[in-house]
């Protein structure tokens, strides 16, 4: 069961990675058409934003599990193993609680748009729920992943990436 | 009172090790619920943050620099620059600074710049007998150029929060970036002349220069295209990033032929991971920002600031002091996201130009991150150079003084930053 959640998360993260890649292609296409044929596309900008919404939130679970989220390790690195585990579980509980609320209310928003048949009213004019649903979905997986990690931490299993604040974590900023 | 309470809670969450994105987002959500506001604002904030064309520049610039990195461009650049200036006094140090400066034009981060150039430059300089503390300080400072010379992730973030033109911010970073390059190069030459002995490099032959330059030229061309396109107004920052991304792909796979399927996959995955961590923090900060605005915290702080400081200079001095303290524990993005929404309302009241302030703010953040005894960028350089933190700290002082000098220079002569975007 836990493995399954891990694997779904990793698959979604890989999907997200190539979605960001595809965004690059779309914008490039747009720039190309605007300069070469002086006829901008109507879909590139909007689709790129839709991809960003989806990619960002479906990748969160895997990024959490791999311990890549930026956090401050100054204090917890100096704690003993028991206190450390407690801090870890508390942190994951905050993530889980936030995800639960975001998932619940995000779900309401998407459901409401679906029932009202609300459209984006933009160039593409797609149903609004098609992008809004990314938030409840993404945070549902993140919630599951956070709960999984909490159980692992209670059992005393090592959680990847949660052991110190390595400089690599602040990568690219 | 509320301010102190909220700030202590935030610090508590951060110190317990809650990921920064969720410390900000969770506290913001808690404040919304506690204050009787609709929790629907949280998913709405998450949605609108990601539904942002300008922010697409973040994943695309990251893709560009990661693809170039995996294609081994850092080594080529350093080799080319070194073949031209390596025989100068302190030549390797000068080459390091110039390489950082050029790499800065294809990377938006100080850490990536220091790490990329560092892995090539540190062993070379050690071989030639440069003092370790000098090498480490040089890199910690050289990395700073990464976020001053466009593109720059912190400036994109600043532009998004403050709703200022990112293009103008990018261009305003060029002048100060060039000034810092000049200062660092001047210092390196002086250091080599007066300082301890090192083995100078032999002058490279024309043949070697030609060969090294031809390999580095396409990368330089890409950097020029991006900065030039932004300057000429041909691209928006997002489009410039997409052009850079396309250029990086063509360069590494067709021109240099260093790209493989595995490397590309690794570059794409690395970019995704960094993008997601950055954008999640922005999403958390968006909810936090919403909540503190509903509690009228920025307005109160702004009123207090205007009542306390009657000149822009004193205000900036206070900001610098606060940043220096925050730099002990926080990284660049968190400092930006916590400070800018709170300070921004005061700028207009004090008559401070937000673009000018953005440039000063970014330099001050970098200063804070390399100021001993604790600063997160010190750790990065320490890890790249496999050194003790004390060594880095000892070497970094002259550079911090030069950076603070630059801040003062920009304060008294705003044209250093503002000439390129607005006068030229």
């Amino acid at each position: 069961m836990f493995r399954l959640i891990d694997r779904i998360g990793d698959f979604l993260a890989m999907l997200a990675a190539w979605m960001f890649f595809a965004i690059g292609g779309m914008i490039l296409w747009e720039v190309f058409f605007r300069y070469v044929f002086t006829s901008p596309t109507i879909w590139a900008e909007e689709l790129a934003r839709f991809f960003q919404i989806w990619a960002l939130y479906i990748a969160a679970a895997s990024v959490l599990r791999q311990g890549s989220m930026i956090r401050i390790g100054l204090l917890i690195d100096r704690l003993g193993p028991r206190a450390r585990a407690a801090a870890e579980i508390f942190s994951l509980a905050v993530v889980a609680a936030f995800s639960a609320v975001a998932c619940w209310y995000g779900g309401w928003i998407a459901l409401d748009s679906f029932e009202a048949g609300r459209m984006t009213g933009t160039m593409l004019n797609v149903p609004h729920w098609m992008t809004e649903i990314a938030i409840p979905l993404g945070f549902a997986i993140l919630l599951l992943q956070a709960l999984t990690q909490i159980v692992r931490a209670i059992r005393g299993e090592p959680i990847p990436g949660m052991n110190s604040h390595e400089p690599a974590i602040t990568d690219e900023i | 009172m509320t301010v102190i309470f909220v700030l202590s809670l935030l610090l508590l969450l951060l110190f317990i090790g809650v990921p920064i994105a969720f410390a900000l987002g969770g506290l913001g959500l808690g404040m919304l619920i506690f204050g009787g506001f609709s929790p629907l604002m949280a998913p709405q904030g998450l949605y609108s943050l990601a539904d942002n064309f300008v922010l697409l520049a973040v994943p695309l610039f990251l893709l560009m620099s990661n693809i170039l990195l995996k294609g081994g461009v850092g080594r080529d650049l350093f080799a080319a620059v070194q073949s031209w200036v390596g025989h100068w006094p302190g030549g390797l140090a000068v080459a390091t600074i110039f390489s950082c400066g050029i790499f800065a034009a294809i990377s938006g981060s100080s850490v990536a710049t220091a790490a990329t150039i560092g892995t090539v430059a540190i062993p070379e300089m050690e071989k030639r007998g440069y003092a370790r503390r000098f090498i480490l300080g040089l890199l910690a400072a050289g990395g700073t150029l990464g976020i001053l010379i466009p593109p720059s992730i912190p400036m994109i973030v600043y532009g998004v929060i403050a709703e200022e033109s990112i293009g103008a911010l990018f261009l305003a970073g060029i002048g100060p970036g060039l000034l810092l390059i000049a200062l660092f190069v001047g210092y390196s030459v002086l250091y080599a002349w007066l300082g301890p002995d090192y083995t100078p490099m032999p002058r490279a032959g024309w043949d070697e220069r030609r060969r090294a330059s031809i390999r580095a030229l396409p990368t330089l061309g890409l950097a020029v295209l991006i900065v030039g396109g932004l300057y000429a107004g041909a691209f928006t920052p997002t489009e410039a990033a997409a052009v850079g991304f396309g250029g990086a792909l063509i360069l590494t796979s067709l021109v240099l032929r260093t790209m493989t399927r595995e490397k590309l996959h690794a570059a794409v995955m690395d970019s995704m991971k960094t993008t997601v961590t950055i954008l999640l923090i922005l999403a958390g900060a968006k909810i936090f920002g919403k909540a503190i605005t509903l509690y009228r915290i920025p307005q109160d702080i702004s009123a207090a600031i205007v009542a306390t400081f009657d000149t822009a200079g004193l205000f900036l001095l206070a900001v610098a002091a606060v940043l220096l303290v925050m730099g002990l524990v926080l990284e660049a993005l968190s400092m930006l996201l916590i400070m800018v929404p709170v300070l921004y309302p005061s700028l207009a009241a004090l008559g401070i130009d937000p673009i000018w302030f953005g440039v000063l703010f970014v330099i001050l953040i970098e200063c804070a991150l390399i100021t001993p005894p604790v600063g997160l960028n010190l750790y990065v350089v320490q890890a790249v150079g496999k050194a003790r933190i004390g060594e880095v700290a000892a070497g970094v002082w002259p550079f911090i003084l030069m950076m603070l000098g630059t801040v003062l220079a920009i304060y008294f002569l705003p044209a250093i930053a503002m000439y390129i975007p607005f006068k030229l």
Side-chain angles (χ1 to χ4, degrees):
Chain A
M1 185 61 198
F2 284 10
R3 279 281 172 76
L4 184 68
I5 294 171
D6 292 356
R7 242 185 259 156
I8 294 173
D10 283 349
F11 172 76
L12 290 174
M14 200 173 75
L15 190 66
W18 289 98
M19 282 172 87
F20 283 122
F21 191 86
I23 289 173
M26 291 174 206
I27 311 282
L28 209 53
W29 184 267
E30 164 81 26
V31 174
F32 184 72
F33 264 72
R34 189 152 50 88
Y35 276 97
V36 180
F37 300 109
T38 55
S39 67
T41 63
I42 61 158
W43 53 268
E45 194 213 304
E46 204 177 337
L47 199 62
R49 279 186 286 123
F50 290 174
F51 267 49
Q52 177 162 263
I53 299 170
W54 272 98
L56 172 58
Y57 294 115
I58 60 174
S62 171
V63 173
L64 175 80
R65 198 187 88 241
Q66 290 172 17
S68 305
M69 289 205 185
I70 303 175
R71 52 204 220 129
I72 292 162
L74 211 62
L75 192 75
I76 45 173
D77 286 349
R78 286 166 175 71
L79 294 177
R82 284 184 69 93
R84 164 115 214 177
E88 217 59 83
I89 291 167
F90 177 81
S91 300
L92 287 164
V94 172
V95 176
F98 181 89
S99 305
V101 177
C103 178
W104 178 255
Y105 288 99
W108 271 112
I109 292 176
L111 190 67
D112 190 48
S113 295
F114 181 72
E115 284 177 344
R118 207 170 292 132
M119 309 293 274
T120 50
T122 51
M123 295 291 242
L124 292 180
N125 206 24
V126 291
H128 227 310
W129 61 267
M130 284 185 151
T131 43
E132 285 169 346
I133 193 100
I135 287 172
L137 262 176
F139 281 95
I141 302 156
L142 185 57
L143 172 62
L144 286 178
Q145 190 76 68
L147 293 176
T148 317
Q149 299 301 89
I150 289 176
V151 175
R152 282 177 174 150
I154 291 172
R155 285 187 192 155
E157 291 174 32
I159 327 181
M162 287 281 192
N163 34 23
S164 86
H165 176 95
E166 277 142 22
I169 296 174
T170 54
D171 218 17
E172 299 289 349
I173 288 173
Chain B
M1 210 41 232
T2 329
V3 180
I4 295 169
F5 186 66
V6 167
L7 207 63
S8 331
L9 261 181
L10 180 63
L11 283 179
L12 185 70
L13 287 174
L14 288 173
F15 277 124
I16 292 175
V18 179
I20 293 167
F22 290 91
L24 288 166
L27 183 57
L29 182 60
M31 285 168 72
L32 286 178
I33 295 172
F34 184 76
F37 302 102
S38 165
L40 281 172
M41 279 186 222
Q44 276 163 354
L46 295 171
Y47 185 91
S48 66
L49 184 275
D51 187 19
N52 183 331
F53 186 72
V54 176
L55 274 186
L56 290 170
V58 173
L60 299 186
F61 275 130
L62 287 171
L63 274 167
M64 162 172 111
S65 63
N66 277 324
I67 289 171
L68 288 173
L69 269 186
K70 292 280 192 270
V73 159
R75 189 169 297 274
D76 290 347
L77 267 182
F78 187 70
V81 175
Q82 189 199 314
S83 76
W84 289 96
V85 302
H87 62 281
W88 291 15
L92 272 177
V94 176
T96 301
I97 291 301
F98 280 138
S99 304
C100 283
I102 297 172
F103 192 77
I106 52 174
S107 141
S109 105
S110 58
V111 174
T113 305
T116 310
I117 304 299
T119 38
V120 197
I122 291 177
E124 286 287 319
M125 291 173 77
E126 281 187 337
K127 233 186 293 169
R128 297 268 160 184
Y130 286 83
R132 267 185 77 77
R133 55 171 65 174
F134 171 72
I135 303 176
L136 297 165
L138 186 73
L139 274 162
T144 331
L145 298 170
I147 60 165
L148 262 182
I149 293 176
S152 157
I153 303 271
M155 283 193 185
I156 298 177
V157 173
Y158 178 88
V160 169
I161 323 173
E163 295 179 355
E164 293 294 335
S165 155
I166 291 166
L169 280 165
F170 276 1
L171 295 174
I174 297 177
L178 293 178
L179 176 61
L180 275 179
I181 291 180
L183 284 173
F184 292 166
V185 165
Y187 177 76
S188 300
V189 172
L190 266 181
Y191 173 88
W193 250 336
L194 311 171
D197 33 77
Y198 69 102
T199 329
M201 297 277 292
R203 181 191 286 266
W206 285 102
D207 203 41
E208 188 192 332
R209 283 183 183 173
R210 208 186 52 237
R211 222 175 320 115
S213 305
I214 285 175
R215 252 192 110 63
L217 220 51
T219 312
L220 199 61
L222 188 61
V224 170
L225 176 71
I226 290 170
V227 178
L230 280 169
Y231 175 68
F235 316 130
T236 64
T238 306
E239 289 169 347
V243 170
F245 158 75
L249 271 180
I250 294 171
L251 207 71
T252 50
S253 56
L254 299 179
V255 180
L256 302 173
R257 295 179 176 281
T258 42
M259 187 48 69
T260 62
R261 187 182 292 231
E262 290 75 36
K263 282 183 186 169
L264 181 64
H265 189 258
V268 171
M269 291 302 281
D270 281 357
S271 310
M272 177 274 296
K273 213 180 280 179
T274 314
T275 303
V276 171
T277 50
I278 293 177
L279 293 189
L280 280 179
I281 293 180
L282 284 173
K286 177 134 191 166
I287 298 172
F288 181 68
K290 186 90 202 159
I292 59 172
T293 311
L294 287 170
Y295 278 70
R296 299 193 53 80
I297 290 176
Q299 296 89 325
D300 290 350
I301 289 183
S302 166
I305 286 175
V306 175
T308 317
F309 305 106
D310 28 273
T311 65
L314 280 176
F315 168 71
L316 287 172
L317 209 60
V319 170
V322 172
L323 282 179
L324 207 61
V325 175
M326 289 175 89
L328 300 179
V329 288
L330 292 179
E331 38 65 69
L333 213 51
S334 317
M335 284 199 268
L336 255 169
L337 289 168
I338 296 172
M339 291 286 277
V340 174
V342 169
L343 293 179
Y344 190 74
S346 319
L347 297 184
L350 288 165
I352 298 174
D353 185 290
I355 302 280
W356 180 66
F357 181 72
V359 173
L360 290 179
F361 198 81
V362 165
I363 305 179
L364 283 173
I365 284 183
E366 284 299 311
C367 276
L369 290 181
I370 61 172
T371 303
V374 204
L376 292 177
N377 274 19
L378 290 174
Y379 290 113
V380 176
V381 177
Q382 173 212 9
V384 176
K386 298 182 184 63
R388 281 179 301 105
I389 200 84
E391 286 179 300
V392 193
V396 86
W397 277 113
F399 297 97
I400 293 176
L401 290 180
M402 282 183 265
M403 287 167 72
L404 290 176
T406 304
V407 170
L408 277 181
I410 300 170
Y411 174 72
F412 287 112
L413 199 68
I416 296 172
M418 309 300 274
Y419 185 74
I420 294 179
F422 297 113
K423 301 273 169 55
L424 205 62

